[in-house]
Amino acid sequence: MMSVEDEPDSSIDHAAAIQYWNGVDATVNGMLGGYPHISRIDLQGSSNFVAKLRRSRTAGPSPPSEQLRRAVDCGAGIGRVTNGLLSKFAAVVDVVEPVEKFTREIKDKLHVGEIYNVGLEDWQPQHSYDLIWMQWCLGHLTDAQLVLLLHRCTHAFASGGWIVVKENTCTTLGQKDLYDEVDNSVTRADGKFRTVFETAGLKIVATEVQKGFPKELFPVRMYALRPDENANGEHP
Ligand code: SAH
């Protein structure tokens, strides 16, 4: 058996991660680690995924022809996803992002609702959301922090809304999570995400792998989540 100390997420260091991101340019290139050209295809894939969710049999918070009321971009960086996706679907978009250098960029260039300058591990949702978007930032949280965050979110979204997680997944190497020393984050296995969601009382209502990304990158998977009514209501 592995001891807890051997778990990749035990190496996570929030201060070091913030220091790393402070040294990164406040540009799309910075956000996407030198792959700025994948942004368009990423946003297109996300947009199709959301449109499919809104047309699916399980009713959304509002008809697909109407805007969603409120969305939140978690680990928003400079607001690439807010700008290219969420503001097209929702009347108001809030952002959560711990690095001030990035939120300053959002303040200057985008029209958003609330800006929460905190890490997701410290974020307490204060509104009811139709869509909670979490992309390329959850590797900065430990498994336990991620479960608690998702559980807090289950109380902060409108009936019929969705939490969408879009993250790198490692599918090889025996499905084990990987620690990245450069940016202080973990890349989780698909199976780990599924366990985390279940522990947080969420069920997957749709999931797909983003198509069209360069082969050398980790597979990027989208998961649409809703509270699992069959889960026992205990706090994780
Ligand atoms: N989601 C955005 C940004 C990705 S870059 C996009 O897809 O374009 C990763 C972001 O995670 C950075 O902005 C970084 O500052 C942020 N981040 C780092 N630690 C975090 C934490 N503990 N909670 C939330 N976001 C964090």
Side-chain angles (χ1 to χ4, degrees):
M1 279 242 331
M2 264 187 144
S3 72
V4 173
E5 290 75 41
D6 293 333
E7 294 293 341
D9 74 335
S10 64
S11 303
I12 284 175
D13 173 343
H14 294 298
I18 299 302
Q19 198 182 352
Y20 167 83
W21 283 106
N22 262 308
V24 168
D25 287 349
T27 59
V28 170
N29 185 44
M31 296 298 103
L32 300 183
Y35 285 83
H37 49 287
I38 69 168
S39 187
R40 204 173 59 91
I41 197 163
D42 166 64
L43 295 168
Q44 188 60 54
S46 300
S47 178
N48 294 347
F49 188 67
V50 173
K52 251 188 267 176
L53 282 178
R54 298 199 70 195
R55 287 196 309 265
S56 67
R57 265 180 304 139
T58 40
S62 58
S65 56
E66 283 173 29
Q67 273 207 315
L68 299 172
R69 261 175 332 106
R70 197 171 194 119
V72 58
D73 187 354
C74 295
I78 60 166
R80 185 187 66 85
V81 176
T82 292
N83 189 33
L85 177 79
L86 300 176
S87 57
K88 303 206 165 34
F89 281 105
V92 180
V93 184
D94 295 341
V95 302
V96 186
E97 167 56 52
V99 174
E100 258 187 62
K101 165 176 164 180
F102 298 154
T103 49
R104 232 178 288 133
E105 193 71 14
I106 293 179
K107 256 185 225 144
D108 289 351
K109 302 211 174 120
L110 303 179
H111 178 74
V112 293
E114 315 263 5
I115 297 180
Y116 302 101
N117 231 168
V118 290
L120 284 165
E121 65 281 9
D122 295 323
W123 179 56
Q124 184 65 54
Q126 280 152 29
H127 291 277
S128 163
Y129 293 104
D130 291 337
L131 185 57
I132 299 180
W133 197 269
M134 302 176 167
Q135 180 166 359
W136 282 327
C137 59
L138 297 181
H140 289 299
L141 270 57
T142 64
D143 293 355
Q145 286 172 331
L146 180 53
V147 168
L148 290 172
L149 168 69
L150 291 169
H151 196 260
R152 288 196 295 280
C153 288
T154 61
H155 299 294
F157 73 109
S159 119
W162 300 275
I163 298 173
V164 174
V165 167
K166 186 167 187 177
E167 286 289 343
N168 293 350
T169 54
C170 49
T171 50
T172 50
L173 298 170
Q175 295 270 313
K176 277 188 48 216
D177 299 350
L178 299 171
Y179 184 70
D180 182 337
E181 288 182 358
V182 176
D183 69 356
N184 268 280
S185 72
V186 287
T187 302
R188 293 186 166 90
D190 171 59
K192 168 59 79 59
F193 274 117
R194 289 171 192 261
T195 307
V196 162
F197 300 152
E198 196 182 323
T199 312
L202 292 165
K203 68 165 188 258
I204 299 173
V205 295
T207 180
E208 57 183 66
V209 172
Q210 169 71 49
K211 294 194 189 74
F213 276 177
K215 287 281 171 293
E216 71 268 25
L217 299 182
F218 283 116
V220 173
R221 185 174 275 279
M222 296 179 266
Y223 307 89
L225 308 165
R226 274 192 175 160
D228 184 355
E229 280 91 39
N230 299 320
N232 61 31
E234 278 173 37
H235 289 259

